[in-house]
Amino acid sequence: MGETALKTNGINFAKASSAALQDQQLRGNFRRAMDGLMSKRAVQFADTAEWNGVRTLGASVRLRALSKLPELLEKLEANCTKNGIQVHWASTTDEANAIVLSIMQRVNAKLVVKGKSMVSEEMHLNAFLEMHGIESLESDLGEYIVQLDEAMPSHIIMPAIHMNTKQIAHLFKQKIKEAEYTEDVAQLTDLARRVLRKKFATADVGISGVNMAVAETGTLCLVENEGNGRMSTTVPPVHIAVMGLEKVVEKLEDVPPVISLLTRSATAQPITTYVNMISSPRKEGEKDGPNEIHLVILDNGRSAIYADEELRNTLRCIRCGACMNHCPVYTKVGGHAYQAPYPGPIGSILMPQVEGLETRGELPHACTMCNACVEICPVKIPIVEIMGRLRSEAVHPGDAVKGAGSHASKAEAMVWKGWSMTYASPLAYQFATALLAKLGNAAPASLPLLKEWTNVRSKPRFANRTLHALAREKGIPDV
């Protein structure tokens, strides 16, 4: 299977979300998890003034970094190189995969342990490495669970949030040799830890993501709770970090406010258990750390996003997942319905820009425009505005977004043209509404246009007279 096929085969949000809505176990799992996440996060930001202040600061850090992005990326490369970190640039995921593979083949790597990385999911790196005979093992517990299940993560922070303890217990019993069935969470965690510890000790390469890269110092920042990220980046002799080019920040002092927003928004923690600041390979006299560090900086459509001033705001994202936790659509259907590395509201604006509206054009419509994601976003991304822009791009040919115009319909264009002409003429409006009242109310519920509606509710009934006529009867003057 080629990389393109891995990314685009069988994408159908409408079908997948419909199936998810019928899965009562899935919906129950998500409801319980999301209620807990939302209430715990609210406690962390109980002080409204503090929330507004740190949120404004975090947004300004991201906006300032984006305003200087080309300059900061060059500075990051120079300082990383100065520190001994080898920097590689990749325009596409295929190029990024090829770079990772070349490093592994040079050191004759057969086993890779991976810390959590959304960019590696975007690259479909595990499948790519397996096609080349290299075992790639996820070391984050949630990622390890979904890897055993041969599934994609359903959430960018909690990959296995769609599963309950009983489901995980059955999975471990089925997939882990000599595992005994238990629903004790501590025992399940200990079982996974024992398996992973053996792999850490024998892995040839460790792979991680990057939460932030500091241009000023050439430092890679990673936050995590389980210690697997630190094991992946220090025990194997070679460490490969992969990041999207938007993850750069200007100064070291920019890191604390972003980390504060990230950890409290993502897991409702004031700070994660581990905050890793990596600035160089192992130096002489040091007892641990890799002999080589490679940083792979991925574009994959981000430059095109950056070129548009409105769409550029997509790149502010710090990958906290808060927009998903509060989204009425995501919390009903789960992440797998999106069939994308990035689900939920942020995925609905990022994936169409990265992979193209022709294959991801459904996602901007997976939104009620309720604005919950905007209100909760710690860096103030105008997600709903971007969602509307992408809906428009999908039906209007242009060069701002890949696949623009791919969902254009002549019939739809004619309907909207007729609607415009009708509302532009009082006479045409009165005639059309009177006609619809007569024809619409007489139409049988079995008509194709009404069938889906009447499956779940009564047929809508048109008013017998227009709003203007009703106003005149009430003595209300036209305005």
Side-chain angles (χ1 to χ4, degrees), residues 133-163:
I134 298 173
E135 180 185 358
S136 180
L137 183 71
E138 296 287 352
S139 63
D140 174 86
L141 181 57
E143 293 279 358
Y144 177 63
I145 290 168
V146 295
Q147 186 179 34
L148 284 180
D149 200 32
E150 299 179 6
M152 292 180 68
S154 59
H155 193 286
I156 65 174
I157 299 298
M158 293 147 285
I161 199 170
H162 60 289
M163 300 178 73

Side-chain angles (χ1 to χ4, degrees), residues 19-32:
L21 288 171
Q22 306 306 313
D23 188 336
Q24 296 304 312
Q25 179 68 70
L26 176 73
R27 294 187 65 180
N29 292 348
F30 265 95
R31 185 68 275 155
R32 285 188 293 274

Side-chain angles (χ1 to χ4, degrees), residues 163-191:
M163 300 178 73
N164 60 28
T165 303
K166 183 175 289 189
Q167 290 171 314
I168 295 169
H170 282 292
L171 178 67
F172 277 23
K173 179 68 174 70
Q174 179 186 2
K175 294 295 181 79
I176 299 177
K177 188 179 180 181
E178 299 178 358
E180 296 182 2
Y181 182 86
T182 176
E183 293 181 20
D184 184 280
V185 174
Q187 290 184 38
L188 290 169
T189 304
D190 185 61
L191 174 60

Side-chain angles (χ1 to χ4, degrees), residues 49-290:
E50 191 267 345
W51 156 245
N52 288 329
V54 73
R55 188 185 189 214
T56 299
L57 179 57
S60 69
V61 167
R62 296 300 300 132
L63 285 167
R64 173 162 42 86
L66 289 175
S67 72
K68 304 177 180 181
L69 187 60
E71 171 194 332
L72 293 183
L73 287 170
E74 290 181 1
K75 189 173 183 179
L76 175 67
E77 179 183 30
N79 284 325
C80 282
T81 303
K82 180 180 170 183
N83 293 342
I85 299 173
Q86 301 175 52
V87 179
H88 311 264
W89 299 89
S91 296
T92 65
T93 55
D94 290 339
E95 285 185 22
N97 283 329
I99 291 167
V100 172
L101 180 62
S102 68
I103 296 168
M104 293 185 179
Q105 289 177 334
R106 180 177 57 78
V107 299
N108 196 29
K110 299 299 179 185
L111 171 63
V112 175
V113 287
K114 286 177 71 259
K116 199 168 185 314
S117 164
M118 291 312 302
V119 168
S120 72
E121 295 288 348
E122 187 179 334
M123 294 161 59
H124 300 273
L125 183 58
N126 288 350
F128 175 81
L129 293 176
E130 287 173 14
M131 288 192 295
H132 291 84
I134 298 173
E135 180 185 358
S136 180
L137 183 71
E138 296 287 352
S139 63
D140 174 86
L141 181 57
E143 293 279 358
Y144 177 63
I145 290 168
V146 295
Q147 186 179 34
L148 284 180
D149 200 32
E150 299 179 6
M152 292 180 68
S154 59
H155 193 286
I156 65 174
I157 299 298
M158 293 147 285
I161 199 170
H162 60 289
M163 300 178 73
N164 60 28
T165 303
K166 183 175 289 189
Q167 290 171 314
I168 295 169
H170 282 292
L171 178 67
F172 277 23
K173 179 68 174 70
Q174 179 186 2
K175 294 295 181 79
I176 299 177
K177 188 179 180 181
E178 299 178 358
E180 296 182 2
Y181 182 86
T182 176
E183 293 181 20
D184 184 280
V185 174
Q187 290 184 38
L188 290 169
T189 304
D190 185 61
L191 174 60
R193 182 183 291 115
R194 291 199 304 271
V195 173
L196 293 171
R197 286 296 167 116
K198 294 177 183 177
K199 298 293 186 178
F200 286 129
T202 57
D204 306 294
V205 173
I207 293 178
S208 76
V210 178
N211 291 107
M212 280 173 283
V214 184
E216 178 184 50
T217 58
T219 302
L220 310 181
C221 305
L222 289 78
V223 298
E224 45 133 352
N225 276 314
E226 300 170 17
N228 63 82
R230 186 165 291 184
M231 295 285 282
S232 297
T233 59
T234 59
V235 178
V238 177
H239 169 209
I240 302 173
V242 293
M243 64 172 257
L245 57 77
E246 78 278 17
K247 286 299 188 75
V248 66
V249 294
E250 184 176 7
K251 304 173 183 178
L252 202 58
E253 67 188 48
D254 293 333
V255 172
V258 176
I259 286 183
S260 176
L261 286 166
L262 172 59
T263 58
R264 290 195 283 171
S265 297
T267 56
Q269 294 173 277
I271 192 69
T272 50
T273 308
Y274 299 92
V275 176
N276 306 302
M277 310 286 277
I278 301 170
S279 294
S280 73
R282 182 190 302 194
K283 296 178 181 177
E284 187 175 349
E286 293 182 337
K287 295 182 178 180
D288 60 13

Side-chain angles (χ1 to χ4, degrees), residues 390-427:
L390 293 174
R391 289 182 180 185
S392 177
E393 291 282 347
V395 296
H396 294 105
D399 54 11
V401 181
K402 181 181 177 183
S406 58
H407 289 251
S409 163
K410 289 183 179 179
E412 183 180 352
M414 289 176 64
V415 168
W416 282 113
K417 181 67 175 175
W419 179 91
S420 176
M421 292 173 64
T422 299
Y423 274 74
S425 166
L427 186 62

